[in-house]
């Protein structure tokens, strides 16, 4: 009939009638309230009625009643377009879903106006908290808008030390990579960093520190001639490898600060008609899914723990962690493939 309102779907009253219980019972069961007040049989009757009728709770009404929605916000600069986006969002989404929450994700592309508008919208939805993610590990400024809502910085650190952060343990990662080569018997280990130490980039500073620590433990003095500081690109890995492997006293192993640099190193080794790992062993960092497993031989590398970090960030929000500026560093696992073996004499 013209002008009549369409049926909005089954109501809580319909569920109560189908289950043979009161509407209050349905509300308490669906909101996990009442504890052991209800028998397993009662809860099953309610759930069966919900499934049969296709009932959905009124999320807007729940937000008005409880002051918080069933969502967690996720704001990232360019995280959705980075090679690691799927893993970092997957981890956050998995953990949110385990508590019945949805992840509301916005990729800002570094646009501060879009970021501000996104945060305003999320806060208007009364999200339970906000994960503020970054494409790469750095120290960043957290928007003032997050002051009044549970927030966690993901894959970076709050420059002001107010908001909890979850990030990779770069120092331990650099140590593990170098230790793997030392354990294989190498003593002349080159290191190609992804930035200068002056940049302050945690990945560059931390991986370099881990490299030096591992050498020191092995009683080895770092050789400045084997250390290079680049921009983390394929071309740097190629140029540095060509330079060092044609020197009078070449390294027998290379720790590349990222997988892209390792890719360049592979190409240089091929052009020199040498072999990996027979002539030179290589370890990377990142475990880029489209790169590391597909090199020949497969690249031994450190994996950035994006799924675990995403989960942990949401967990901190669910625990209603105080904004104490803590920095939780998560281990980067070593992924063994076939690019490392014992050293042999170079021709």
């Amino acid at each position: 009939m013209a002008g009549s309102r369409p049926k909005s779907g089954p109501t809580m009253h319909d569920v109560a009638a189908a289950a043979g219980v009161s509407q209050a019972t349905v509300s308490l069961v669906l909101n996990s309230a009442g504890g052991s007040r209800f028998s397993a049989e009662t809860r099953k009757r309610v759930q069966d009625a919900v499934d049969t009728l296709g009932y959905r709770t009124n999320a807007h009404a729940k937000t008005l009643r409880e002051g918080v929605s069933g969502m967690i916000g996720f704001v990232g600069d360019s995280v959705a377009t980075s090679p690691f986006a799927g893993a970092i969002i997957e981890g956050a989404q998995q953990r949110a879903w385990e508590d019945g929450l949805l992840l509301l994700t916005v990729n800002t592309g570094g646009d501060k106006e879009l970021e501000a508008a996104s945060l305003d919208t999320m806060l208007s939805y009364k999200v339970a908290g906000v994960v503020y993610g970054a494409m790469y590990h750095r120290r960043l400024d957290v928007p003032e808008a997050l002051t009044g809502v549970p927030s966690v910085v993901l894959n970076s650190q709050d420059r002001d030390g107010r908001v909890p952060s979850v990030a990779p343990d770069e120092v331990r990662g650099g140590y593990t990579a170098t230790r793997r080569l030392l354990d294989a018997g190498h003593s002349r280990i080159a290191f190609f960093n992804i930035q200068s130490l002056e940049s302050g980039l945690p990945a560059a500073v931390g991986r370099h520190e881990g490299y030096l620590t591992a050498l020191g433990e092995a009683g080895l003095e770092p050789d400045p001639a084997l250390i290079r500081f680049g921009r983390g690109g394929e071309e740097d890995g190629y140029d540095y490898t060509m330079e060092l492997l044609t020197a009078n006293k070449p390294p027998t192993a290379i720790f590349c600060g990222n997988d892209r640099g390792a890719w360049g190193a592979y190409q240089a080794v091929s052009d020199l008609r040498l072999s990996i790992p027979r002539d030179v062993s290589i370890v990377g960092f990142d475990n880029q899914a489209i790169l590391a497993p597909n090199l020949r031989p497969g690249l031994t590398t450190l994996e950035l723990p994006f799924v675990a970090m995403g989960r942990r960030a949401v967990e901190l929000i669910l625990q209603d962690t105080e904004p104490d500026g803590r920095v939780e560093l998560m281990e980067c696992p070593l992924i063994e493939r076939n690019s490392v073996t014992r050293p042999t004499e170079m021709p």
Side-chain angles (χ1 to χ4, degrees):
M1 180 177 178
S4 64
R5 296 178 62 186
K7 183 171 174 58
S8 61
T11 65
M12 192 176 289
H13 176 79
D14 297 329
V15 173
V21 298
S22 69
Q23 189 168 317
T25 296
V26 172
S27 177
L28 290 169
V29 169
L30 293 182
N31 287 284
S32 302
S36 59
R37 179 189 305 175
F38 306 112
S39 66
E41 180 188 352
T42 297
R43 289 196 296 271
K44 185 177 186 305
R45 289 212 314 271
V46 170
Q47 192 57 56
D48 286 347
V50 166
D51 293 342
T52 300
L53 296 172
Y55 172 76
R56 289 185 175 86
T57 58
N58 187 331
H60 180 64
K62 188 170 186 250
T63 299
L64 292 175
R65 182 175 66 253
E66 299 180 2
V68 64
S69 72
M71 294 185 290
I72 288 177
F74 186 110
V75 177
D77 51 6
S78 300
V79 72
T81 55
S82 77
F84 317 111
I88 204 166
I89 293 174
E90 176 190 350
Q93 186 168 275
Q94 281 177 353
R95 185 61 189 87
W97 187 247
E98 287 171 11
D99 272 43
L101 302 173
L102 293 176
L103 196 70
L104 178 60
T105 306
V106 176
N107 179 62
T108 67
D111 184 328
K112 289 301 179 184
E113 287 188 13
L114 178 56
E115 176 180 276
S118 301
L119 288 173
D120 281 347
T121 300
M122 286 182 177
L123 297 179
S124 73
Y125 275 113
K126 306 289 187 184
V127 292
V130 175
V131 175
Y132 190 69
M135 180 175 64
Y136 63 92
H137 188 183
R138 64 187 189 275
R139 290 181 177 82
L140 48 72
D141 298 313
V142 176
E144 286 296 326
L146 295 182
T147 303
V149 63
S151 305
V152 175
V153 173
L154 177 57
N155 198 37
S156 276
Q157 299 177 37
D158 177 11
R159 194 190 314 277
D160 293 335
R162 295 174 301 165
V163 177
S165 305
V166 178
D169 191 336
E170 309 286 6
V171 176
R172 187 173 178 182
Y175 174 88
T176 300
T178 310
R179 186 76 252 173
R180 175 66 184 91
L181 294 168
L182 289 165
D183 288 344
H186 296 275
S187 58
R188 285 190 58 75
I189 302 171
F191 175 45
F192 301 164
N193 211 336
I194 58 175
Q195 281 287 342
S196 68
L197 300 181
E198 291 74 22
S199 70
L201 190 71
V205 176
R207 293 171 196 180
H208 180 261
E209 181 182 335
Y211 167 76
L212 296 182
T213 299
L215 291 181
E217 279 189 6
L220 298 172
E221 284 290 328
D223 183 350
L226 297 180
I227 301 174
R228 295 290 184 276
F229 296 94
R231 295 156 296 176
E234 171 197 354
E235 57 281 356
D236 285 337
Y238 181 90
D239 292 343
Y240 297 154
T241 301
M242 290 292 287
E243 179 185 339
L244 290 180
L245 291 188
T246 56
N248 289 332
K249 197 174 180 184
T252 62
I254 303 171
F255 167 30
C256 294
N258 65 7
D259 291 349
R260 288 174 59 205
W263 182 24
Y266 268 61
Q267 295 174 62
V269 172
S270 176
D271 285 353
L272 290 169
R273 302 195 185 286
L274 298 174
S275 173
I276 302 169
R278 185 191 66 207
D279 298 311
V280 61
S281 291
I282 297 179
V283 171
F285 208 114
D286 290 345
N287 195 34
Q288 283 199 23
I290 61 173
L291 189 58
N294 298 313
L295 293 175
R296 294 292 179 267
L299 177 65
T300 293
T301 186
L302 277 292
E303 181 175 71
L304 289 167
F306 285 117
V307 172
M309 290 195 303
R311 289 185 61 88
R312 183 56 180 160
V314 170
E315 204 158 71
L316 288 175
I317 287 174
L318 295 175
Q319 291 174 358
D320 201 18
T321 301
E322 290 294 320
D324 54 9
R326 76 176 69 179
V327 178
E328 293 199 6
L329 299 177
M330 304 201 71
E331 180 181 0
C332 301
L334 177 69
I335 307 300
E336 288 277 7
R337 294 195 178 93
N338 300 304
S339 62
V340 177
T341 193
R342 296 195 64 79
T344 57
E345 291 296 322
M346 294 286 289

